[in-house]
Amino acid sequence: MVTIKDIADKAKVSPATVSRVLNHDDSLNVKETTRKRIFEIAEELEYSRKITKKVIKKLKIGTFYSYSPEEELEDPYYLCIRLAIEKKIKQEGHKKSVLSLNAPQDTINSLDGVICTGTFTKDMLKTIEDWNKPTVFIDTYSGTPQSDTITVDYKGAVQNILDEFIKNGHSKIGFIGGAPENPAESNEEDSRYIEFCDYLKKKGLYNENYIKICPYKAKYGRLLFKELYDENNLPTAIFASNDSVATGIYRAAYELGLDIPNDISVIGFNDIPGAKYMIPPLTTVRVYMEFMGEHAVEVLEHKIKDGRTIGVKVLVPTKLYVRDSVRKIQ
């Protein structure tokens, strides 16, 4: 514990002077520079004490992934995040324990904290909350004030996408995606879909006939693009809620004899590794998945070491990579 004598010795003043300064004794006749030095030294010593007290130890971190390895291959977004988490845990020398919802209590008790990725039902979130461990969620807001969240700036990203379409002369803009496999069990609506609707309504360009809601998988992008075509409701441009859905749209367009971007313009989301190799290369939003995974480990480390009980929300920006899948309408 830092004492008044410690501060006095470093400030080269008497303990009585330190005591009166720290207690804001206005009757004390002392220079402002001395007051300032005493406060600075007190803060410095107290901070140093806290740092010394918090011994840097190796942690045991639980990881909970709602997506199975098979589902990760369908939507590589969470695969990239998972690999980044595991790489960072290994680099930091921590131990990792992959969790299931029915993990034994002894396993939960042995953990210092938990990192969760994927999509979650309310029941799943309740189970995780009951673990009563410092927790960081990636791309999901848990609704509990104690948990931390690292998520994407969806509002800015969607506005950039729609502005790109509008800048290129598109007014008939559609959307495919925006729902988990079991929508009835979902904890929250897709922010991309919400922002898409809000922004186009403000621009006077919203048309519900151009919208198809489906899970984030290529097969649904293929199926629902064909539905739009068969219904004679094909817009000139489509925002795919992720790159997997975009690949399904590409496949459907090929099967229907349509050309991208001349017949239909497409923008995806996530910038998965294969996006730039699609034909034509896909214009898409780069989400910094590796950063999100790595930063989740860092946030959890600080949360544990600081004993912080108030949750924080980290909003990660995105970048639109313009390639060749959007046509300019003259």
Side-chain angles (χ1 to χ4, degrees):
M1 178 177 178
V2 177
T3 66
I4 287 177
K5 187 175 185 306
D6 294 330
I7 300 169
D9 288 346
K10 190 160 187 179
K12 294 182 171 49
V13 296
S14 71
T17 299
V18 171
S19 177
R20 293 177 68 182
V21 167
L22 294 181
N23 283 282
H24 299 276
D25 186 345
D26 294 334
S27 66
L28 178 65
N29 185 17
V30 66
K31 293 180 180 179
E32 284 302 310
T33 54
T34 303
R35 289 182 187 272
K36 182 173 180 290
R37 187 168 77 253
I38 289 171
F39 275 111
E40 288 176 348
I41 290 171
E43 187 67 26
E44 177 188 335
L45 290 177
E46 182 66 16
Y47 178 76
S48 299
R49 182 189 65 80
K50 288 178 180 177
I51 295 298
T52 304
K53 183 180 178 182
K54 289 167 187 166
V55 178
I56 305 300
K57 68 168 186 173
K58 299 307 177 184
L59 305 173
K60 185 172 183 183
I61 298 175
T63 55
F64 178 76
Y65 312 120
S66 73
Y67 273 44
S68 68
E70 293 76 23
E71 289 173 318
E72 285 183 344
L73 293 177
E74 294 251 18
D75 185 1
Y77 173 72
Y78 288 111
L79 172 63
C80 294
I81 290 175
R82 176 176 63 80
L83 293 177
I85 292 169
E86 294 176 352
K87 179 181 177 183
K88 184 66 173 178
I89 289 175
K90 185 176 181 180
Q91 284 178 342
E92 296 294 316
H94 303 314
K95 292 182 179 179
K96 173 175 67 72
S97 177
V98 180
L99 303 174
S100 63
L101 285 177
N102 57 358
Q105 191 59 46
D106 287 349
T107 299
I108 301 301
N109 292 343
S110 70
L111 301 175
D112 293 295
V114 179
I115 297 174
C116 303
T117 70
T119 56
F120 301 86
T121 65
K122 291 180 180 178
D123 288 342
M124 293 165 74
L125 291 174
K126 181 64 169 62
T127 297
I128 295 167
E129 183 181 356
D130 289 343
W131 288 345
N132 196 30
K133 291 290 179 178
T135 305
V136 178
F137 286 90
I138 299 180
D139 212 22
T140 292
Y141 180 59
S142 70
T144 59
Q146 301 90 347
S147 299
D148 294 341
T149 302
I150 299 175
T151 190
V152 176
D153 178 13
Y154 286 110
K155 183 173 183 176
V158 173
Q159 289 186 6
N160 287 339
I161 289 169
L162 297 178
D163 285 343
E164 180 68 16
F165 281 142
I166 294 169
K167 179 183 74 176
N168 283 283
H170 295 275
S171 58
K172 298 179 179 179
I173 304 171
F175 177 89
I176 297 180
E181 196 77 52
N182 300 305
E185 298 180 357
S186 176
N187 179 56
E188 56 186 331
E189 283 191 278
D190 188 320
S191 298
R192 286 160 287 197
Y193 173 62
I194 294 171
E195 296 300 338
F196 171 88
C197 295
D198 287 349
Y199 197 62
L200 286 191
K201 285 176 182 177
K202 290 176 184 176
K203 296 286 185 180
L205 299 176
Y206 176 80
N207 188 331
E208 64 179 10
N209 294 323
Y210 299 150
I211 295 172
K212 293 290 182 180
I213 302 301
C214 69
Y216 316 97
K217 295 182 179 179
K219 63 181 179 181
Y220 295 110
R222 176 172 174 261
L223 174 67
L224 294 184
F225 180 83
K226 287 185 173 182
E227 279 190 13
L228 285 172
Y229 181 83
D230 292 340
E231 293 166 0
N232 201 29
N233 279 328
L234 201 62
T236 63
I238 291 179
F239 167 31
S241 63
N242 70 4
D243 291 347
S244 297
V245 171
T247 61
I249 294 172
Y250 268 52
R251 179 66 182 175
Y254 172 79
E255 292 170 348
L256 292 168
L258 300 177
D259 179 78
I260 297 174
N262 292 318
D263 296 315
I264 183 73
S265 294
V266 182
I267 295 181
F269 205 96
N270 292 344
D271 195 28
I272 61 176
K276 59 180 173 288
Y277 300 114
M278 294 167 67
I279 303 175
L282 178 66
T283 293
T284 185
V285 168
R286 165 72 59 83
V287 176
Y288 297 100
M289 297 167 278
E290 293 83 2
F291 171 81
M292 292 170 70
E294 292 172 358
H295 196 56
V297 177
E298 294 172 356
V299 169
L300 185 62
E301 287 173 336
H302 289 294
K303 186 181 185 72
I304 293 167
K305 290 167 187 172
D306 294 343
R308 176 169 52 79
T309 57
I310 300 173
V312 298
K313 186 173 183 179
V314 179
L315 200 62
V316 180
T318 62
K319 181 177 180 180
L320 180 66
Y321 275 77
V322 177
R323 296 186 179 118
D324 300 327
S325 61
V326 176
R327 174 174 75 99
K328 185 174 182 64
I329 296 177
Q330 301 298 330

